[in-house]
Amino acid sequence: MSRIVYVNGEYVDEVDAKISIFDRGFLFADGVYEVSTVINGRLIDNDIHLNRLQRSLSEIQLVIPNSLSQIEVIQQQLIDRNQLVEGIVYLQVTRGAADRDFKFPDNPVPSLVMFTQQKNVLSNPVADKGIHVMSVDDIRWARRDIKTVGLLAPSMAKQKALDEGADDAWMVEDGFVTEGSSSNAFIVTQEGTIVTLNLGNAILAGITRSVVLSLATDKGIEVEERPFSITEAYNAAEAFSTSASSFVYPVVKIDGTWIADGKPGAVALELRRLYIEAATAED
Ligand code: PDD
């Protein structure tokens, strides 16, 4: 079934959606995006996603005419028009069309595009089995805290991992794990402490990351935000990743090394359960 998508003020059939070839998102990856999850037709943690959108926009000095509440109305319209029960809403803002030039246009007319994707986010066999990850050099730029549409490096990382028979890539810089190709990366030490890289320019401040860390703290689980090496990850009691579209995925193998007994860890499974409980309870 063809979807209804949103393009610059209009709801159109996806085959009729048009963006200029001069759009700076297309020519320069000059744009930012957000992915919000939908469960039972409702957006999850969307206000935090939209606040991050606002931050990404201000980091690239892009002002848009739409307020965050207007954006949420459009997101909800798309969910309703596509009768989306479970999945995601993708939204992208770019600096719009302008004759090709590295400098920013003087009076940009930003493009705002949104679409939905159906996805089984609640029950997912991957979450029950756990995933295999492969470490890949982190070749991305130095402002990974901005959720930019320039995603070739993580896309290459993911493809490399898939080509080698793994499910995803964990990116490594100077021996330390930064994050997954489109997720944040965590380990649980033998003492039961959750470790994940501290926020900064090196990683995206994941919304699921922040929610999961506060759920863990509420449960009395120790959390340390610090760098961890890929070797520390091989020897961890557990490993897992988080993102809006996957929630919590246990990681059971890294670079061919099974993590502990090679089964999804108890902490990861419990955090996944708590996350879903919180997400489906918000009313
Ligand atoms: N990606 N790190 C990176 C590099 C990401 O691309 C993402 C999300 C995350 C997790 O962030 P959050 O919990 O806010 O989704 C971390 C989305 C899902 C994507 O690009 O599809």
Side-chain angles (χ1 to χ4, degrees):
M1 195 186 76
S2 189
R3 278 168 295 191
I4 301 294
V5 301
Y6 176 88
V7 185
N8 291 329
E10 288 182 49
Y11 296 91
V12 294
D13 191 293
E14 64 182 69
V15 295
D16 299 321
K18 288 191 178 62
I19 282 282
S20 165
I21 64 156
F22 297 109
D23 192 280
R24 288 181 58 92
F26 179 59
L27 295 179
F28 292 98
D30 184 358
V32 296
Y33 76 105
E34 278 297 329
V35 175
S36 298
T37 308
V38 174
I39 299 177
N40 296 328
R42 281 183 37 243
L43 289 155
I44 306 301
D45 294 331
N46 196 46
D47 47 343
I48 335 181
H49 281 280
L50 293 184
N51 286 337
R52 185 173 63 188
L53 173 71
Q54 190 60 67
R55 178 182 182 276
S56 294
L57 286 168
S58 78
E59 291 301 308
I60 67 163
Q61 299 166 50
L62 180 54
V63 177
I64 57 168
N66 320 71
S67 67
L68 296 185
S69 52
Q70 285 168 340
I71 289 178
E72 183 159 278
V73 169
I74 304 166
Q75 289 174 304
Q76 196 59 56
Q77 272 283 328
L78 274 191
I79 293 169
D80 297 345
R81 288 178 189 231
N82 290 293
Q83 296 170 14
L84 182 69
V85 178
E86 207 173 304
I88 61 120
V89 178
Y90 176 91
L91 85 85
Q92 171 168 326
V93 184
T94 71
R95 211 175 305 272
D99 203 12
R100 186 175 183 276
D101 190 345
F102 280 73
K103 80 179 253 302
F104 293 167
D106 292 332
N107 298 301
V109 182
S111 298
L112 174 60
V113 166
M114 294 189 211
F115 57 82
T116 55
Q117 281 183 333
Q118 198 282 326
K119 189 171 189 275
N120 293 340
V121 284
L122 288 177
S123 61
N124 187 331
V126 175
D128 303 327
K129 266 182 30 219
I131 60 168
H132 298 186
V133 302
M134 186 181 128
S135 62
V136 170
D137 271 352
D138 196 338
I139 60 165
R140 297 174 301 160
W141 73 329
R143 288 303 307 277
R144 302 159 193 159
D145 54 309
I146 304 173
K147 201 162 169 59
T148 149
V149 297
L151 295 175
L152 183 56
S155 183
M156 286 169 69
K158 173 127 192 186
Q159 190 57 47
K160 191 168 179 186
L162 294 176
D163 291 345
E164 299 288 330
D167 303 301
D168 201 357
W170 270 15
M171 293 180 283
V172 173
E173 190 168 52
D174 302 327
F176 291 95
V177 176
T178 50
E179 55 191 335
S181 64
S182 59
S183 60
N184 288 111
F186 304 72
I187 56 169
V188 181
T189 66
Q190 299 296 343
E191 293 74 37
T193 301
I194 295 175
V195 179
T196 192
L197 182 57
N198 46 291
L199 297 182
N201 294 343
I203 58 166
L204 183 74
I207 305 305
T208 323
R209 174 191 184 281
S210 67
V211 174
V212 160
L213 289 185
S214 63
L215 288 169
T217 308
D218 290 349
K219 282 282 158 189
I221 304 172
E222 286 287 323
V223 171
E224 271 178 32
E225 294 179 64
R226 62 157 171 88
F228 64 90
S229 69
I230 191 71
T231 317
E232 188 177 1
Y234 297 152
N235 296 307
E238 288 186 35
F240 63 92
S241 66
T242 64
S243 77
S245 47
S246 66
F247 302 157
V248 178
Y249 274 176
V251 170
V252 293
K253 201 195 226 183
I254 306 176
D255 291 338
T257 301
W258 293 102
I259 305 308
D261 62 0
K263 299 205 175 75
V267 172
L269 292 177
E270 175 67 354
L271 290 174
R272 181 178 176 84
R273 192 190 67 74
L274 289 169
Y275 184 85
I276 290 174
E277 188 179 85
T280 48
E282 276 173 34
D283 252 329

